[in-house]
């Protein structure tokens, strides 16, 4: 296991808030002044209910708190320079510190959603770890939704959608850039709902049954 991956596991064990504060801000004033927020854009439209991925259902049975909906949390966060720095840092650090491996290679099954706690995982595992770390740093879990897309290869892929007052932003293991959803080039199929445990459709026609690529 790499040193970075080991460090990520330690974050989970002792709480990430203090670590993230140091990681994201070498100087509070510098970060507030220099961080460039993404331009405002529009949110992805919900077109109805959707069937959840089987791997997500099984994950929620093992980690119920990761899928629970707290209606007291906001659905959308206000993006500040400090928060933006935290988001970008977590995305880059998890991408760099987690070894990409398919679920078939990792677990011997086509699709298993997990938290990459051993330092390895595929697309959804990267994003679930990012969400846990961001939630530990104070972001509302309700504003961070696991999302299924069709990627540039025409395959099912999982990303993390962060719902902000500047539009829906995407954390992805394929890039260190946190992008507005419209700029990813993906076809957006569905994401976790925010009002109840379940999924909603984002209008994509073809829905994958798994997200089993790296």
């Amino acid at each position: 296991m790499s040193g970075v991956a080991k460090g990520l596991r330690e974050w989970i064990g002792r709480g990430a808030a203090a670590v993230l504060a140091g990681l994201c801000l070498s100087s509070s004033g510098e970060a507030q002044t220099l961080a460039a927020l993404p331009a405002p854009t529009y949110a992805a439209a919900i077109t109805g209910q959707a069937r959840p991925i089987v791997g997500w259902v099984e994950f929620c049975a093992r980690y119920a708190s990761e899928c629970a909906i707290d209606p007291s949390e906001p659905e959308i966060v206000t993006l500040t320079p400090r928060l933006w720095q935290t988001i970008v840092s977590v995305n880059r650090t998890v991408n760099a510190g987690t070894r990409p491996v398919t679920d078939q290679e990792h677990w011997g099954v086509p699709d298993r959603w997990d938290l990459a706690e051993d330092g390895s995982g595929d697309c959804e595992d990267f994003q679930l770890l990012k969400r846990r770390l961001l939630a530990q740093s104070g972001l509302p879990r309700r504003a961070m939704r696991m999302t299924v897309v069709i990627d540039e290869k025409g395959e099912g892929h999982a990303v993390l959608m962060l719902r902000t007052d500047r539009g829906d932003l995407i954390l992805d293991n394929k890039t260190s850039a946190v992008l507005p959803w419209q700029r990813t080039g993906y076809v957006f199929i569905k994401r976790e709902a925010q009002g109840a445990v379940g999924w909603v459709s984002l209008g994509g026609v073809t829905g994958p049954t798994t997200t089993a690529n790296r």
Side-chain angles (χ1 to χ4, degrees), residues 45-88:
I46 295 173
T47 61
Q49 300 300 307
R51 181 176 297 179
I53 296 286
V54 173
W56 176 84
V57 174
E58 295 170 348
F59 171 79
C60 292
R62 299 194 311 273
Y63 298 97
S65 63
E66 296 289 333
C67 304
I69 298 293
D70 181 354
S72 68
E73 289 186 334
E75 295 186 9
I76 294 174
V77 297
T78 299
L79 199 62
T80 65
R82 184 183 183 115
L83 179 57
W84 176 241
Q85 290 289 85
T86 299
I87 294 162
V88 170

Side-chain angles (χ1 to χ4, degrees), residues 1-16 19 63 93-94 97-98 106 114-120 129 132-133 136:
M1 182 184 301
S2 72
V4 177
K6 182 178 179 181
L8 287 171
R9 293 189 65 189
E10 291 174 353
W11 284 5
I12 295 174
R14 68 174 181 263
V19 179
Y63 298 97
T93 304
V94 172
T98 306
H106 198 183
D114 220 299
L115 287 162
E117 290 178 287
D118 63 355
S120 301
L129 177 55
R132 173 174 277 197
L133 293 173
Q136 289 178 349

Side-chain angles (χ1 to χ4, degrees), residues 10-210:
E10 291 174 353
W11 284 5
I12 295 174
R14 68 174 181 263
V19 179
L20 286 173
L23 171 69
C24 301
L25 297 174
S26 58
S27 164
S28 178
E30 179 183 11
Q32 293 288 340
T33 302
L34 299 180
L37 299 180
T41 184
Y42 60 93
I46 295 173
T47 61
Q49 300 300 307
R51 181 176 297 179
I53 296 286
V54 173
W56 176 84
V57 174
E58 295 170 348
F59 171 79
C60 292
R62 299 194 311 273
Y63 298 97
S65 63
E66 296 289 333
C67 304
I69 298 293
D70 181 354
S72 68
E73 289 186 334
E75 295 186 9
I76 294 174
V77 297
T78 299
L79 199 62
T80 65
R82 184 183 183 115
L83 179 57
W84 176 241
Q85 290 289 85
T86 299
I87 294 162
V88 170
S89 293
V90 168
N91 190 57
R92 288 177 176 169
T93 304
V94 172
N95 285 354
T98 306
R99 182 175 68 93
V101 59
T102 67
D103 287 327
Q104 194 65 53
E105 296 169 317
H106 198 183
W107 303 108
V109 296
D111 196 28
R112 170 174 166 144
W113 289 41
D114 220 299
L115 287 162
E117 290 178 287
D118 63 355
S120 301
D122 68 351
C123 55
E124 70 273 358
D125 308 327
F126 278 73
Q127 319 322 333
L128 288 165
L129 177 55
K130 292 171 191 176
R131 181 165 72 177
R132 173 174 277 197
L133 293 173
L134 288 169
Q136 289 178 349
S137 76
L139 272 76
R141 189 179 301 277
R142 193 180 181 199
M144 297 182 285
R145 301 288 82 192
M146 290 296 294
T147 302
V148 172
V149 303
I150 301 297
D151 68 9
E152 73 284 354
K153 298 178 181 178
E155 299 176 342
H157 180 54
V159 297
L160 181 63
M161 178 180 287
L162 175 61
R163 308 212 61 227
T164 82
D165 61 340
R166 302 178 78 87
D168 294 337
L169 304 177
I170 300 302
L171 284 71
D172 191 355
N173 59 297
K174 294 188 178 188
T175 176
S176 292
V178 178
L179 298 173
W181 70 278
Q182 307 95 323
R183 290 183 52 200
T184 61
Y186 297 152
V187 177
F188 281 73
I189 305 299
K190 54 190 174 183
R191 68 163 171 80
E192 288 177 293
Q194 291 179 285
V197 176
W199 285 66
V200 293
S201 174
L202 299 176
V205 176
T206 303
T209 57
T210 67

